């Protein structure tokens, strides 16, 4: 604006019109006048630059021009055209240029404000500097100068002058150009994100969704969950109704449902994006948002006219699994009979059986068996598990199941079945299953998928411990979980179950060894006497409770084992009190979430602590032996409905 005032020799801020008033009615009018003063060639280059972004590179402009005008074989023609046009915009202080990391605007402030070339001197010297900075090769590549709009208002004004259809066409051409330049390089995340933005702005939902999934998966591998979530949400915004527009695209309301699509291909990508988003949210413990993403996927699928045209219905199977996990951990409210869950699982089993792929059918059967077990129907759980065993081959299916579902939920069903045998009193059969999993299944699992290995072995540890095999269980845990984590991840990295590694090793060491090394025992006491170490939070407790034992129950057992080694003293009293408080909380959670196996594991620990409390004459009235009036001590419920 100051530049225009100076150039027009205006007084008071604007030129005067013949009638004596200001020559321009607004700043927008003034900017339009400045832009209109350029010829068509310069305006076209400015249009291209504005679509490219607030900042853009010379090589990008030249590459797009070559795609728009393929008949011109000499790249220097495009280079000269871009050079002259951009020079004019720099001279008018609409753009400033940087080269080799140096911000030329800052180095030549006087020239910039005065309206001359930002490189100083005459246009000819600017041209010489400009051409001298360009390295042309046979393929037309050039070393980069970067241009930036001096103020965003310039870019906004230029974009507002363009038709929406014209902007979409230019975004498409730019995306095609960038895609050709990048090839298969998926590691240049900045360039790939720029490419995604142009495909999205061009209106090509398939291209942009596919790219979003590729980049998002790379972000997840790097542990950049937040970035992946934002990317998946940005991609899904393409199918949301916009409430307003900005220069970079529509502004959407993410609380509203997605628009219906009649394209089966688009619906496929929507389902996959929702699944990826929900998994990412679950990985960083944003469980409520994760459930909402799965439910939004189901709503979109139910309302879409393209649902019946899906060629591969397996894309919806992970959505069933996500909702099942949410139900399992009490993140979705339902009636006591779990009618919604039973209906959902039955539909999943039916769909996967019709689909005919053993990967998904086995997963669905594992899901159904798990559901029956949580309802206390262990015979039904074992019958369903037997059907699953007939179709599951770890060597052939485990890797694919992990690829689809994150971990091998089918193999994990074998471990859970050992607990189901315990719950019906067949302890010898339970131990037999434990050895089968440890010696036959675990060696076939991908050792780098440490989370899968940990979940697979976790239920077995407590069965083996209670059967007198604590040290053997400890050795297997170190071999298949602790050592692989150190090998594939190491210090500074994390995984969901990492906080329980030390407590697990501690319990198995204390129970298995009559004489624990003095240095270790002192470390165990120090850990257990600090109350802040003992609680792992509701997410960890709920998750591990579904695999047989809540995390806080580990702390409670450490407290009771250590307390039993002490004579009457303050430390012993502290351990007993802490342990009783923990078991009270675990029993309440087990009742609330119907974690029958976890309750059965906590019950004997609580009884041992209460015996110690009585011996120490502690007031244990607040802790009680059970939080359920109809508990018979085996972790099950004496419901009239259990014969269903």
């Amino acid at each position: 604006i100051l530049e225009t005032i100076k150039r027009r020799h205006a007084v008071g801020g604007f030129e005067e019109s013949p009638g004596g008033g200001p020559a321009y009615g607004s700043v927008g009018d003034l900017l339009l006048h400045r832009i209109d003063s350029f010829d068509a060639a310069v305006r076209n280059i400015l249009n291209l630059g504005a679509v490219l972004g607030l900042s853009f590179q010379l090589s990008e402009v030249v590459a797009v021009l070559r795609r728009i005008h393929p008949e011109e074989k000499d790249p220097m023609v495009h280079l000269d055209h871009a050079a002259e046009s951009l020079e004019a915009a720099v001279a008018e202080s609409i753009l400033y240029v940087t080269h080799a990391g140096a911000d030329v605007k800052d180095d030549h402030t006087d020239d910039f404000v005065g309206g001359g070339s930002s490189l100083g001197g005459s246009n000819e010297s600017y041209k010489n500097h400009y051409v001298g900075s360009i390295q042309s090769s046979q393929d037309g590549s050039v070393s980069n100068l970067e241009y930036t709009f001096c103020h965003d208002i310039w870019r906004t004004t230029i974009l507002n002058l363009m038709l929406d259809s014209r902007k979409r066409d230019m975004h498409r051409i730019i995306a095609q150009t960038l895609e050709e330049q990048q090839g298969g390089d998926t590691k240049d995340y900045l360039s790939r994100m720029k490419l995604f933005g142009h495909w999205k702005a061009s209106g090509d939902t398939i291209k942009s969704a596919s790219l979003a999934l590729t980049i998002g998966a790379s972000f997840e591998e790097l542990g950049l969950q937040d970035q992946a979530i934002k990317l998946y949400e940005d991609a899904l915004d393409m199918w949301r109704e916009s409430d307003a527009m900005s220069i970079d695209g529509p502004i959407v309301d993410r609380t509203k449902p997605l628009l219906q699509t009649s394209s089966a291909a688009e619906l496929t990508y929507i389902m996959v994006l929702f699944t990826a988003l929900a998994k990412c949210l679950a990985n960083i413990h944003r469980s409520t948002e994760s459930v909402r993403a799965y439910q939004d996927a189901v709503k979109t699928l139910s309302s879409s006219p393209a649902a019946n045209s899906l060629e591969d219905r397996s894309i919806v199977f992970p959505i069933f699994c996500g909702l099942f996990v949410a139900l399992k951990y009490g993140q979705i409210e339902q009636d006591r009979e779990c009618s919604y869950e039973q209906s959902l699982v039955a539909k999943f089993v039916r769909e996967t059986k019709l689909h005919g792929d053993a990967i998904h059918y086995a997963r669905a059967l594992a899901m159904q068996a798990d559901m029956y077990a949580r309802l206390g129907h262990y015979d039904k759980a074992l019958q369903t598990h037997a059907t699953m065993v007939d179709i599951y081959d770890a060597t052939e299916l485990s890797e694919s199941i992990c690829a689809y579902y994150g971990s091998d939920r089918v193999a994990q069903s074998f471990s859970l079945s050992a607990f189901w045998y315990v719950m019906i009193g067949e302890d010898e059969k339970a131990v037999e299953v434990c050895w089968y999993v440890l010696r036959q299944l675990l060696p076939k699992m991908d050792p780098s998928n440490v989370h899968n290995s940990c979940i697979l072995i976790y239920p077995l540890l407590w069965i083996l411990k209670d059967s007198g095999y604590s040290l053997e269980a400890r050795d297997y845990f170190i071999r298949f979980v602790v050592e692989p984590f150190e090998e594939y991840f190491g210090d500074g990295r994390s995984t969901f179950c990492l906080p329980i590694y030390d407590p697990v090793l501690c319990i198995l060491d204390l129970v298995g060894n009559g004489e624990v090394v003095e240095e270790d025992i002192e470390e165990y006491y120090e850990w257990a006497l600090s109350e802040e170490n003992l609680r792992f939070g509701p997410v960890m407790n709920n998750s591990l409770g579904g695999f047989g034992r809540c995390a806080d129950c580990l702390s409670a057992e450490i407290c009771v084992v250590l307390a039993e080694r002490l004579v009457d003293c303050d430390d012993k009293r502290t351990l007993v009190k802490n342990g009783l408080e923990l078991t009270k909380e675990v029993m309440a959670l087990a009742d609330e979430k119907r974690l029958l196996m976890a309750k059965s594991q906590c019950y004997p620990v609580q009884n041992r602590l209460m015996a110690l409390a009585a011996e120490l004459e502690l007031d244990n009235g607040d802790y009680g032996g059970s939080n359920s009036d109809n508990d018979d001590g085996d972790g099950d419920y004496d419901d009239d409905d259990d014969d269903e």
Side-chain angles (χ1 to χ4, degrees), residues 109-124:
T109 304
D110 293 339
D111 289 326
F112 177 77
V113 175
S117 166
S118 60
L119 290 169
S122 66
N123 284 346
E124 187 61 34

Side-chain angles (χ1 to χ4, degrees), residues 127-197:
K127 181 74 172 180
N128 292 337
H129 178 98
Y130 185 91
V131 173
S133 70
I134 298 170
Q135 305 298 322
S136 179
S137 64
Q138 291 181 351
D139 64 356
S141 64
V142 294
S143 66
N144 273 340
L145 293 178
E146 183 168 272
Y147 293 88
T148 303
F149 284 94
C150 294
H151 196 286
D152 191 53
I153 194 171
W154 282 114
R155 180 173 179 249
T156 303
T157 301
I158 293 168
L159 289 173
N160 287 339
L161 291 173
M162 300 173 64
L163 294 174
D164 288 343
S165 59
R166 175 60 176 156
K167 284 185 282 191
R168 286 194 295 271
D169 285 343
M170 293 188 72
H171 278 297
R172 176 180 53 79
I173 294 170
I174 292 167
Q176 291 171 342
T177 304
L178 293 177
E179 193 170 63
E180 184 179 280
Q181 289 178 329
Q182 293 175 15
D185 182 11
T186 58
K187 301 303 182 184
D188 184 357
Y189 297 110
L190 184 61
S191 297
R192 302 297 268 182
M193 287 297 295
K194 184 185 293 186
L195 177 60
F196 164 75

Side-chain angles (χ1 to χ4, degrees), residues 193-234:
M193 287 297 295
K194 184 185 293 186
L195 177 60
F196 164 75
H198 287 298
W199 276 127
K200 180 182 175 183
S202 76
D204 193 324
T205 54
I206 301 299
K207 281 278 193 180
S208 48
S210 175
L211 187 59
L213 289 167
T214 300
I215 301 171
S218 297
F219 282 157
E220 291 182 59
E221 288 177 4
L222 295 171
L224 303 174
Q225 304 289 343
D226 288 328
Q227 287 84 344
I229 289 168
K230 184 179 185 304
L231 180 58
Y232 296 143
E233 288 178 335
D234 285 347

Side-chain angles (χ1 to χ4, degrees), residues 45 58 61-62 65-66 69 71-85 127 130 136 140 142:
I45 294 297
L58 172 62
V61 175
V62 173
L65 289 176
R66 293 179 66 193
H69 303 288
E71 70 279 0
E72 180 54 67
K73 303 302 182 183
D74 184 0
M76 288 304 296
V77 173
H78 300 304
L79 195 68
D80 289 341
H81 171 46
E84 292 173 4
S85 299
K127 181 74 172 180
Y130 185 91
S136 179
V142 294

Side-chain angles (χ1 to χ4, degrees), residues 4 15 26 80 168 230 260 277 282 309 355 379 398 464 520 530 618:
T4 302
E15 292 182 23
S26 66
D80 289 341
R168 286 194 295 271
K230 184 179 185 304
Q260 290 189 8
L277 172 62
S309 303
H355 183 68
D379 289 337
S398 180
L464 292 175
D520 291 340
S530 178
L618 295 176

Side-chain angles (χ1 to χ4, degrees), residues 89-116:
V90 170
E92 284 287 323
S93 299
I94 294 175
L95 300 172
Y96 68 88
V97 60
T98 59
H99 176 60
D103 189 337
V104 184
K105 179 183 76 171
D106 293 337
D107 292 340
H108 300 276
T109 304
D110 293 339
D111 289 326
F112 177 77
V113 175

Side-chain angles (χ1 to χ4, degrees), residues 143-374:
S143 66
N144 273 340
L145 293 178
E146 183 168 272
Y147 293 88
T148 303
F149 284 94
C150 294
H151 196 286
D152 191 53
I153 194 171
W154 282 114
R155 180 173 179 249
T156 303
T157 301
I158 293 168
L159 289 173
N160 287 339
L161 291 173
M162 300 173 64
L163 294 174
D164 288 343
S165 59
R166 175 60 176 156
K167 284 185 282 191
R168 286 194 295 271
D169 285 343
M170 293 188 72
H171 278 297
R172 176 180 53 79
I173 294 170
I174 292 167
Q176 291 171 342
T177 304
L178 293 177
E179 193 170 63
E180 184 179 280
Q181 289 178 329
Q182 293 175 15
D185 182 11
T186 58
K187 301 303 182 184
D188 184 357
Y189 297 110
L190 184 61
S191 297
R192 302 297 268 182
M193 287 297 295
K194 184 185 293 186
L195 177 60
F196 164 75
H198 287 298
W199 276 127
K200 180 182 175 183
S202 76
D204 193 324
T205 54
I206 301 299
K207 281 278 193 180
S208 48
S210 175
L211 187 59
L213 289 167
T214 300
I215 301 171
S218 297
F219 282 157
E220 291 182 59
E221 288 177 4
L222 295 171
L224 303 174
Q225 304 289 343
D226 288 328
Q227 287 84 344
I229 289 168
K230 184 179 185 304
L231 180 58
Y232 296 143
E233 288 178 335
D234 285 347
L236 286 166
D237 286 346
M238 294 185 293
W239 290 280
R240 287 191 171 96
E241 185 178 359
S242 61
D243 296 328
M245 290 293 295
S246 71
I247 62 170
D248 293 316
I251 300 172
V252 301
D253 182 355
R254 288 178 177 165
T255 63
K256 294 182 179 179
L258 268 63
L259 299 172
Q260 290 189 8
T261 174
S262 58
S263 165
E266 286 187 274
L267 183 60
T268 296
Y269 276 109
I270 290 172
M271 294 297 103
V272 177
L273 282 167
F274 266 130
T275 302
L277 172 62
K279 287 181 178 179
C280 253
L281 289 165
N283 287 341
I284 56 174
H285 307 312
R286 290 163 61 177
S287 55
T288 301
E289 295 169 83
S290 175
V291 170
R292 188 183 304 120
Y294 282 125
Q295 291 175 328
D296 286 346
V298 173
K299 290 176 185 176
T300 302
L301 182 68
S302 301
S303 64
S304 175
N308 293 329
S309 303
L310 288 175
E311 293 183 3
D312 182 7
R313 302 193 67 82
S314 68
I315 59 166
V316 304
F317 297 161
I319 298 171
F320 282 109
C321 294
L323 287 172
F324 173 74
V325 171
L327 286 162
K328 179 178 177 179
Y329 297 142
Q331 295 163 355
I332 300 176
E333 294 294 329
Q334 57 177 336
D335 58 31
R336 182 164 180 78
E337 290 73 28
C338 303
S339 303
Y340 173 71
E341 182 178 1
Q342 293 199 54
S343 173
L344 182 75
V345 173
K347 184 176 180 181
F348 185 32
V349 171
R350 183 172 61 253
E351 287 277 343
T352 54
K353 187 175 183 179
L354 289 172
H355 183 68
D357 190 326
I359 293 170
H360 304 293
Y361 185 39
R363 173 64 186 107
L365 289 170
M367 180 188 294
Q368 190 172 55
D370 191 7
M371 179 196 69
Y372 283 140
R374 285 188 298 103

